Amino acid sequence: MLQTKTLEFLKALVQNNNREWFQENRKKYDEAKSDLEKLVGQLIKEVSKFQDLGNLQVKDCIFRINRDVRFSKNKAPYKSNLSAGIGPGGRSSGKIDYYLHIQPNGQSFLGGGMWAPSPEQLAKYRQEVDYNADELKTIIHEQGFREFFPVIHGEVLKTTPKGYAKDHPEIELLKRKELFFVHPFSDKDVTAKDFANNIVKGIKLLKPYCDYMNYILNHTEEQD
C-alpha cells in the first residue's frame, strides 16, 4: 500500500508545478518517493519468487520525476505521477517489463506490453502473428487475463499493413502497432493494505505475455 499523503503530494504538485514550490516541498517529495521505494522493494521480493530478476535493485526501477522539456510545448518541469519499471535490468533494460504508474484521481495503473516498438520489432511481431498467432491468442484470451486486462491499448493502423491481405484471418492483430494491457487502480485501491498483492496478481498474469513478446521482439537467429 501507499500512504494517502503520497497521493496528496501529487495532487498539490499538479496545482504548483514549478521549481520554487517543489524545492519548498522537497521533504514531502522525498517522503512520497520513499513510500514508492518501499512498495517496489516489496514487489521485487514477491516477483522474485516466480521470476528471475537478477540483482535488481529498487533504484534501478524508479523513474525520475523530472520531465524532459527540451522538445515539448509543455514546459512543466515535473511529472504529475510516480512510476517504476519492474523486470530484469530495471526501467532502462530496453525489454518489456511491468510498469507501475501512480497518479491521483483514479489514474493509477499496472501495465505491460509492446509500446512504441522499433520498425524492426514491429516487423518481427507481425511476422510471428502471420506465421502462428495461436500462442499469443491463447495467452491474451485466457479468462483470468481478460478479466484483469479486458482492453488492448495502443495505436492501430486504419488500413491493412503493407504485405498482408485484407482478409487475413489475423488482420486485427496485424493492424496493431502497439499491444499494451492496463489494469486501473482507484485511489482507494492504491492506499489499501492488499495493494501490493493485487499488483503481484497482475504481474503473474502479465508474465506469459511479456515473456512471449520479449522473445519474439528481441530473439535473434544467432541465439538459436
Side-chain angles (χ1 to χ4, degrees):
M1 63 179 287
L2 291 177
Q3 302 298 314
T4 301
K5 63 182 180 180
T6 294
L7 297 181
E8 293 300 326
F9 167 78
L10 291 172
K11 289 178 182 178
L13 178 58
V14 171
Q15 303 299 319
N16 303 276
N17 201 324
N18 60 77
R19 290 180 175 82
E20 182 179 5
W21 181 90
F22 190 87
Q23 291 305 319
E24 290 174 352
N25 291 270
R26 183 80 194 197
K27 182 178 179 181
K28 292 182 179 179
Y29 164 67
D30 289 341
E31 291 174 346
K33 182 181 178 184
S34 176
D35 196 24
L36 178 64
E37 288 172 342
K38 290 178 182 177
L39 174 63
V40 171
Q42 184 178 356
L43 295 175
I44 291 174
K45 181 179 178 181
E46 293 303 315
V47 174
S48 294
K49 294 178 181 179
F50 56 86
Q51 180 172 355
D52 183 5
L53 297 178
N55 189 34
L56 183 66
Q57 303 296 310
V58 171
K59 64 180 177 62
D60 301 323
C61 301
I62 307 295
F63 286 93
R64 298 175 70 245
I65 198 168
N66 301 75
R67 294 181 63 250
D68 184 351
V69 300
R70 291 174 298 172
F71 309 108
S72 174
K73 292 182 179 179
N74 178 4
K75 298 302 180 182
Y78 305 106
K79 301 172 187 174
S80 56
N81 63 271
L82 296 173
S83 56
I86 301 170
R91 66 183 185 279
S92 301
S93 69
K95 303 288 183 66
I96 291 174
D97 58 14
Y98 315 113
Y99 175 73
L100 179 62
H101 184 98
I102 303 298
Q103 190 168 356
N105 302 317
Q107 297 185 73
S108 299
F109 64 86
L110 170 70
M114 182 175 68
W115 189 263
S118 68
E120 293 78 13
Q121 289 178 323
L122 186 57
K124 287 182 178 180
Y125 160 75
R126 287 184 173 143
Q127 183 180 47
E128 187 66 23
V129 169
D130 179 41
Y131 175 70
N132 181 11
D134 289 348
E135 184 176 356
L136 173 60
K137 291 195 296 182
T138 296
I139 293 170
I140 65 177
H141 291 164
E142 190 272 327
Q143 184 178 350
F145 187 96
R146 288 182 64 86
E147 289 176 353
F148 206 82
F149 301 102
V151 180
I152 302 175
H153 296 259
E155 188 177 354
V156 183
L157 287 177
K158 294 181 180 179
T159 58
T160 305
K162 186 177 180 179
Y164 297 96
K166 293 182 180 180
D167 60 351
H168 193 292
E170 307 300 344
I171 192 60
E172 294 307 315
L173 282 173
L174 289 169
K175 283 183 177 181
R176 301 210 66 92
K177 297 181 70 176
E178 295 169 329
L179 200 71
F180 196 83
F181 294 90
V182 167
H183 181 84
F185 293 111
S186 67
D187 291 2
K188 184 178 180 180
D189 293 332
V190 170
T191 55
K193 291 183 179 179
D194 62 352
F195 183 44
N197 291 336
N198 283 332
I199 297 171
V200 173
K201 175 184 176 181
I203 289 176
K204 285 182 177 179
L205 290 169
L206 274 175
K207 184 180 183 299
Y209 169 64
C210 290
D211 288 348
Y212 170 86
M213 294 302 294
N214 274 319
Y215 180 81
I216 67 170
L217 297 186
N218 299 293
H219 187 75
T220 64
E221 292 183 0
E222 288 76 11
Q223 292 174 308
D224 290 327

